[in-house]
PDB file of all heavy atoms in Angstrom:
ATOM      1  N   ALA A1016      55.420 -73.208 -73.984  1.00 37.00           N
ATOM      2  CA  ALA A1016      54.970 -72.454 -75.169  1.00 37.00           C
ATOM      3  C   ALA A1016      55.982 -72.626 -76.249  1.00 37.00           C
ATOM      4  O   ALA A1016      57.180 -72.465 -76.016  1.00 37.00           O
ATOM      5  CB  ALA A1016      54.754 -70.943 -74.904  1.00 37.00           C
ATOM      6  N   THR A1017      55.602 -73.022 -77.468  1.00 41.00           N
ATOM      7  CA  THR A1017      56.379 -73.274 -78.558  1.00 41.00           C
ATOM      8  C   THR A1017      57.004 -71.948 -79.103  1.00 41.00           C
ATOM      9  O   THR A1017      56.530 -70.867 -78.817  1.00 41.00           O
ATOM     10  CB  THR A1017      55.741 -74.013 -79.722  1.00 41.00           C
ATOM     11  OG1 THR A1017      54.775 -73.115 -80.245  1.00 41.00           O
ATOM     12  CG2 THR A1017      55.153 -75.280 -79.241  1.00 41.00           C
ATOM     13  N   ASP A1018      58.123 -71.988 -79.757  1.00 41.00           N
ATOM     14  CA  ASP A1018      58.772 -70.814 -80.397  1.00 41.00           C
ATOM     15  C   ASP A1018      57.652 -70.112 -81.261  1.00 41.00           C
ATOM     16  O   ASP A1018      57.664 -68.931 -81.414  1.00 41.00           O
ATOM     17  CB  ASP A1018      59.981 -71.166 -81.099  1.00 41.00           C
ATOM     18  CG  ASP A1018      61.083 -71.609 -80.234  1.00 41.00           C
ATOM     19  OD1 ASP A1018      61.045 -71.300 -79.038  1.00 41.00           O
ATOM     20  OD2 ASP A1018      62.026 -72.217 -80.615  1.00 41.00           O
ATOM     21  N   ALA A1019      56.899 -70.967 -81.988  1.00 45.00           N
ATOM     22  CA  ALA A1019      55.888 -70.419 -82.853  1.00 45.00           C
ATOM     23  C   ALA A1019      54.823 -69.603 -82.131  1.00 45.00           C
ATOM     24  O   ALA A1019      54.339 -68.551 -82.518  1.00 45.00           O
ATOM     25  CB  ALA A1019      55.172 -71.585 -83.697  1.00 45.00           C
ATOM     26  N   ASP A1020      54.391 -70.123 -80.913  1.00 45.00           N
ATOM     27  CA  ASP A1020      53.500 -69.439 -80.095  1.00 45.00           C
ATOM     28  C   ASP A1020      53.977 -68.095 -79.682  1.00 45.00           C
ATOM     29  O   ASP A1020      53.337 -67.107 -79.689  1.00 45.00           O
ATOM     30  CB  ASP A1020      53.155 -70.252 -78.855  1.00 45.00           C
ATOM     31  CG  ASP A1020      52.346 -71.487 -79.123  1.00 45.00           C
ATOM     32  OD1 ASP A1020      51.626 -71.450 -80.183  1.00 45.00           O
ATOM     33  OD2 ASP A1020      52.348 -72.528 -78.459  1.00 45.00           O
ATOM     34  N   MET A1021      55.305 -68.087 -79.233  1.00 42.00           N
ATOM     35  CA  MET A1021      55.853 -66.835 -78.776  1.00 42.00           C
ATOM     36  C   MET A1021      56.044 -65.840 -79.880  1.00 42.00           C
ATOM     37  O   MET A1021      55.587 -64.697 -79.697  1.00 42.00           O
ATOM     38  CB  MET A1021      57.276 -67.141 -78.174  1.00 42.00           C
ATOM     39  CG  MET A1021      57.311 -67.897 -76.924  1.00 42.00           C
ATOM     40  SD  MET A1021      56.621 -67.073 -75.537  1.00 42.00           S
ATOM     41  CE  MET A1021      57.840 -65.781 -75.401  1.00 42.00           C
ATOM     42  N   GLU A1022      56.405 -66.294 -81.061  1.00 45.00           N
ATOM     43  CA  GLU A1022      56.453 -65.454 -82.139  1.00 45.00           C
ATOM     44  C   GLU A1022      55.182 -64.862 -82.614  1.00 45.00           C
ATOM     45  O   GLU A1022      55.036 -63.667 -82.884  1.00 45.00           O
ATOM     46  CB  GLU A1022      57.255 -66.032 -83.318  1.00 45.00           C
ATOM     47  CG  GLU A1022      57.476 -65.245 -84.563  1.00 45.00           C
ATOM     48  CD  GLU A1022      58.216 -65.937 -85.740  1.00 45.00           C
ATOM     49  OE1 GLU A1022      58.466 -67.128 -85.555  1.00 45.00           O
ATOM     50  OE2 GLU A1022      58.467 -65.299 -86.789  1.00 45.00           O
ATOM     51  N   LYS A1023      54.153 -65.717 -82.576  1.00 46.00           N
ATOM     52  CA  LYS A1023      52.932 -65.415 -82.997  1.00 46.00           C
ATOM     53  C   LYS A1023      52.231 -64.253 -82.116  1.00 46.00           C
ATOM     54  O   LYS A1023      51.635 -63.243 -82.607  1.00 46.00           O
ATOM     55  CB  LYS A1023      51.969 -66.637 -82.962  1.00 46.00           C
ATOM     56  CG  LYS A1023      50.541 -66.332 -83.417  1.00 46.00           C
ATOM     57  CD  LYS A1023      49.711 -67.670 -83.367  1.00 46.00           C
ATOM     58  CE  LYS A1023      48.359 -67.482 -83.827  1.00 46.00           C
ATOM     59  NZ  LYS A1023      47.602 -68.715 -83.738  1.00 46.00           N
ATOM     60  N   SER A1024      52.412 -64.295 -80.766  1.00 45.00           N
ATOM     61  CA  SER A1024      51.840 -63.377 -79.874  1.00 45.00           C
ATOM     62  C   SER A1024      52.666 -62.155 -79.688  1.00 45.00           C
ATOM     63  O   SER A1024      52.131 -61.042 -79.409  1.00 45.00           O
ATOM     64  CB  SER A1024      51.600 -64.035 -78.527  1.00 45.00           C
ATOM     65  OG  SER A1024      50.561 -64.953 -78.630  1.00 45.00           O
ATOM     66  N   LEU A1025      53.994 -62.269 -79.846  1.00 45.00           N
ATOM     67  CA  LEU A1025      54.831 -61.188 -79.599  1.00 45.00           C
ATOM     68  C   LEU A1025      55.028 -60.343 -80.938  1.00 45.00           C
ATOM     69  O   LEU A1025      55.607 -59.211 -80.886  1.00 45.00           O
ATOM     70  CB  LEU A1025      56.161 -61.652 -79.056  1.00 45.00           C
ATOM     71  CG  LEU A1025      56.075 -62.271 -77.657  1.00 45.00           C
ATOM     72  CD1 LEU A1025      57.515 -62.779 -77.224  1.00 45.00           C
ATOM     73  CD2 LEU A1025      55.612 -61.269 -76.681  1.00 45.00           C
ATOM     74  N   SER A1026      54.585 -60.798 -82.118  1.00 49.00           N
ATOM     75  CA  SER A1026      54.773 -60.070 -83.242  1.00 49.00           C
ATOM     76  C   SER A1026      53.335 -59.565 -83.710  1.00 49.00           C
ATOM     77  O   SER A1026      52.627 -60.340 -84.330  1.00 49.00           O
ATOM     78  CB  SER A1026      55.388 -60.975 -84.303  1.00 49.00           C
ATOM     79  OG  SER A1026      56.725 -61.507 -83.851  1.00 49.00           O
ATOM     80  N   PRO A1027      53.113 -58.265 -83.570  1.00 50.00           N
ATOM     81  CA  PRO A1027      51.782 -57.693 -83.934  1.00 50.00           C
ATOM     82  C   PRO A1027      51.437 -58.001 -85.408  1.00 50.00           C
ATOM     83  O   PRO A1027      50.359 -58.081 -85.743  1.00 50.00           O
ATOM     84  CB  PRO A1027      51.921 -56.316 -83.512  1.00 50.00           C
ATOM     85  CG  PRO A1027      52.956 -56.255 -82.556  1.00 50.00           C
ATOM     86  CD  PRO A1027      53.949 -57.319 -82.902  1.00 50.00           C
TER      87      PRO A1027
END
Side-chain angles (χ1 to χ4, degrees):
T1017 65
D1018 292 339
D1020 289 332
M1021 291 294 292
E1022 184 180 1
K1023 181 178 180 181
S1024 289
L1025 295 176
S1026 301

